Each structure stands twice: as C-alpha cells, then as structure tokens.
C-alpha cells in the first residue's frame, strides 16, 4: 500500500527512500562550501526577521542559518516527513529554538499568510518542478515576501566529465527531464533550469535580479572528489526507477552503465566539474 506522499509526489526520487536523507546531508555540506557560504555577504540579514527554505531536505542549510543568525525565525518545508522529522530532531539536539519545519507540498499554494517572509530560499528543487509549476511557485513566493524581500534560487547543471558512463547517465537524466517538461532545455542536452530562473523571476514580477555562479571540481585528487563521487553513486540508483518509468533506458543498459560509472569515477585520470547558478531577486518596495 502506497502512502499518501508516495502517491502524489512527482519528485524524481522516491520520497520514502532513507538513503536520500543520508545523500542530502552530504550534498548540503558540499554545496554550502561550493557556494562560498550560507548567504551572500552583501545581503543585510540584520534587518530581517523571517526566512523560508523551500524543499529543505534534512534541514542542513536552514539549521546552519538559524544557528548563525540567532535573531532570525527560520521555517523549512519539505514534502517528505522523514526529512522533516530528521530536521526537527537536529534542531532539538542543537538547542535551536528559532527554527521549525513543516511537511508541505511546494507544488500547491504555500500555507503561510501574505508578506510573512524577508527572504525565501530554494536550492536544488528542479527535481520536483516543471515548466508550469515554476511560474505558480514564484507567484506564490511574491505573495509571501514582504515589500523589499528577497528570493534566492540555486540550481546546477550536471558535471562535464571524461567518464563516458557518467556522461551517459547524465544524458538519461537530461532526456527524462525534457520528456516530462521538467526542464527548459530545447534539445534535452542539459538540466536546463538554472539558466531560465532570471527570466522566470522577471516574468513573475521580481526586480533587481542578480546572478552568482559557482562550481564543484570533483576530479580525482580534488577536495570534493570523494563526496561528489559518493553522491553520484548514491543518486543514480535512487533515480533508476524514474528512468525506467520514463522509458528512457531499459534496466539492463542502466545497470551496465551504472557499474561502468562506479569504476570510472574512482580512476586517477577522472576529471569532472559542474557549474551552478544562484539567482537572487527582490520584491518591489511599493
Ligand atoms: C535535492 S533536495 C534539496 C534539499 C536542500 N534544499 C539542499 O539544498 O540540500 C530536494 C528536496 O525537495 C523535496 N521535495 C520533493 N518534492 C517536493 C514538493 N512537492 N514540495 C516540497 N518539497 C519537495 C525532497 O523531499 C527533497 O528533500
């Protein structure tokens, strides 16, 4: 019998996979570092009081923000109760009283009053969004922000690498995302979401749009080689059912490609770099 979350969720990974919690905890540390910190230095956090993190996962980023900026009230939302329970337990064990987490579906109107937040953050949510969901969510974020409030969206492209099998797995992902109109890629050769966020924000009515790029070098010998290689090892088996359901690849071909990838990413000659983009924008003051 499927749980309610499992029936309705459109995320590319089964929301009840425990391995996904562990993977996200590692991923969180990895990208906090790659992004050069929790929030941009130029953002005046001292005048803010309320922050929302959409698709917060096990809460790593939100918990660090609540710990660093004790004057802020932080709320993290995620559709997955396993993530939310984990995040709550972390908040309790760290004695953080300025943070809470709620199970909420970000593809539905968010259950907060208008003008509740100074800052809304959403990192790596492309896996549950699609071409029609983005404008709806951004419109809702505009409603939830106070005048002059900020939104901060971060998405990445898959790595470019010299591993033929990793490239093939990325290719399956790009094709599956395009097939389901989750991506804005015109040819199914990229994740194709990050590059569109500025345009989507402008069309939703946001102003003062700024973009900051970052990268993750996961080549053999680089600092992030181990954690990123472990991340792709964990990630692709979790996405496998989505690929099979999408009809992009058959099970045997997937298994062979995955086995080759696991071998290739640990070779001393392995080179892989991925790029990401954080797009910030503001709600008008009037
Ligand atoms: C790739 S993770 C990103 C986690 C976190 N933001 C980070 O930066 O590490 C995507 C998260 O979105 C959650 N999710 C999936 N579908 C969702 C939905 N419809 N509404 C809210 N969260 C959702 C997943 O449970 C997962 O925790």
């Amino acid at each position: 019998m499927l749980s309610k979350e499992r029936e309705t969720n459109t995320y590319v990974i089964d929301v009840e996979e425990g391995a996904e919690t562990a993977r996200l905890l590692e991923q969180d540390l990895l990208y906090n570092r790659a992004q050069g910190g929790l929030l941009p230095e130029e953002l005046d956090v001292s005048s803010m009081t309320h922050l929302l993190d959409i698709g917060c996962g096990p809460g790593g980023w939100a918990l660090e923000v609540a710990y660093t900026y004790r004057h802020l009230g932080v709320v993290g939302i995620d559709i997955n109760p396993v993530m939310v329970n984990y995040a709550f337990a972390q908040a309790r064990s760290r004695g953080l009283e300025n943070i809470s987490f709620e199970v909420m579906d970000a593809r539905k109107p968010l259950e907060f009053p208008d003008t509740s937040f100074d800052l809304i953050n959403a990192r790596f949510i492309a896996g549950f969004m699609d071409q029609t969901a983005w404008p709806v969510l951004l419109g809702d974020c505009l409603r939830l922000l106070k005048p002059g409030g900020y939104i901060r969206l971060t998405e990445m492209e898959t790595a470019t690498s010299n591993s033929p099998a990793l490239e093939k797995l990325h290719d399956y992902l790009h094709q599956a995302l395009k097939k389901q109109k989750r991506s804005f890629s015109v040819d199914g050769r990229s994740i194709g979401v990050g590059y569109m966020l500025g345009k989507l924000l402008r069309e939703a009515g946001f102003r003062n749009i700024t973009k900051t790029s970052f990268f993750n070098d996961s080549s053999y010998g680089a600092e992030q080689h181990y954690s990123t290689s472990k991340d792709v090892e964990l990630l692709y088996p979790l996405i496998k059912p989505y690929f099979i359901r999408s009809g992009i690849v058959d099970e045997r071909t997937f298994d062979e490609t995955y086995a080759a990838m696991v071998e290739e990413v640990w070779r001393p000659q392995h080179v892989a770099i991925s790029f990401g983009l954080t797009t910030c924008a503001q709600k008008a003051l009037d």
Side-chain angles (χ1 to χ4, degrees):
M1 173 93 165
L2 292 174
S3 71
K4 192 159 164 277
E5 288 78 20
R6 202 175 271 205
E7 282 168 10
T8 55
N9 187 258
T10 60
Y11 189 34
V12 295
I13 294 170
D14 187 327
V15 294
E16 290 178 1
E17 280 283 359
E20 176 62 350
T21 312
R23 188 186 75 82
L24 288 179
L25 286 168
E26 266 301 315
Q27 178 187 271
D28 183 68
L29 295 173
L30 182 70
Y31 289 107
N32 287 351
R33 270 199 300 273
Q35 286 186 274
L38 293 170
L39 287 168
E41 275 172 24
E42 59 276 13
L43 203 64
D44 180 14
V45 184
S46 66
S47 59
M48 299 183 176
T49 56
H50 291 88
L51 186 153
L52 172 67
D53 189 25
I54 298 175
C56 64
W61 182 87
L63 287 158
E64 278 312 304
V65 169
Y67 178 79
T68 310
Y69 305 101
R70 296 300 180 100
H71 70 282
L72 278 182
V74 180
V75 184
I77 61 162
D78 200 285
I79 201 169
N80 186 347
V82 177
M83 303 281 177
V84 167
N85 289 341
Y86 181 92
F88 252 124
Q90 285 295 308
R92 268 196 304 275
S93 74
R94 293 175 69 175
L96 291 173
E97 288 178 2
N98 59 331
I99 189 161
S100 63
F101 294 93
E102 290 184 38
V103 175
M104 209 179 282
D105 184 352
R107 292 177 54 107
K108 299 193 177 138
L110 298 175
E111 298 152 34
F112 300 103
D114 296 0
T115 63
S116 294
F117 298 102
D118 301 279
L119 174 65
I120 298 179
N121 183 71
R123 185 175 68 177
F124 308 146
I125 65 166
F128 68 82
M129 297 294 283
D130 59 33
Q131 287 185 9
T132 52
W134 277 105
V136 178
L137 177 63
L138 297 186
D140 211 24
C141 288
L142 196 67
R143 172 183 74 78
L144 294 181
L145 281 171
K146 297 176 189 172
Y150 292 89
I151 185 165
R152 188 168 176 264
L153 305 172
T154 302
E155 294 297 338
M156 288 203 77
E157 276 301 328
T158 46
T160 304
S161 80
N162 62 356
S163 156
L166 182 60
E167 293 301 297
K168 196 86 216 145
L169 291 173
H170 288 341
D171 186 41
Y172 298 150
L173 179 61
H174 300 157
Q175 286 180 44
L177 293 173
K178 171 155 172 50
K179 192 173 173 186
Q180 298 189 322
K181 294 193 165 53
R182 287 165 182 268
S183 150
F184 294 91
S185 165
V186 291
D187 55 11
R189 291 165 69 183
S190 66
I191 296 270
V193 173
Y195 86 107
M196 282 295 283
L197 294 176
K199 180 173 187 287
L200 289 166
L201 283 163
R202 196 169 52 250
E203 287 170 358
F206 285 93
R207 298 179 179 184
N208 302 332
I209 297 165
T210 58
K211 295 173 188 142
T212 314
S213 58
F214 61 97
F215 71 95
N216 178 38
D217 183 355
S218 54
S219 310
Y220 187 90
E223 203 188 336
Q224 311 300 351
H225 174 245
Y226 180 84
S227 49
T228 309
S229 303
K230 278 283 162 209
D231 186 57
V232 285
E233 271 191 12
L234 281 169
L235 176 68
Y236 276 107
L238 292 169
I239 307 185
K240 174 181 166 180
Y242 168 67
F243 285 162
I244 308 292
R245 277 199 311 273
S246 308
I248 294 296
V249 60
D250 62 79
E251 187 158 9
R252 189 160 150 226
T253 310
F254 175 90
D255 289 346
E256 285 168 4
T257 313
Y258 176 75
M261 182 276 285
V262 169
E263 208 237 309
E264 287 166 8
V265 297
W266 297 105
R267 288 181 187 162
Q269 61 267 41
H270 178 63
V271 177
I273 301 191
S274 55
F275 298 92
L277 191 66
T278 298
T279 308
C280 256
Q282 203 174 8
K283 177 172 171 171
L285 272 168
D286 39 88

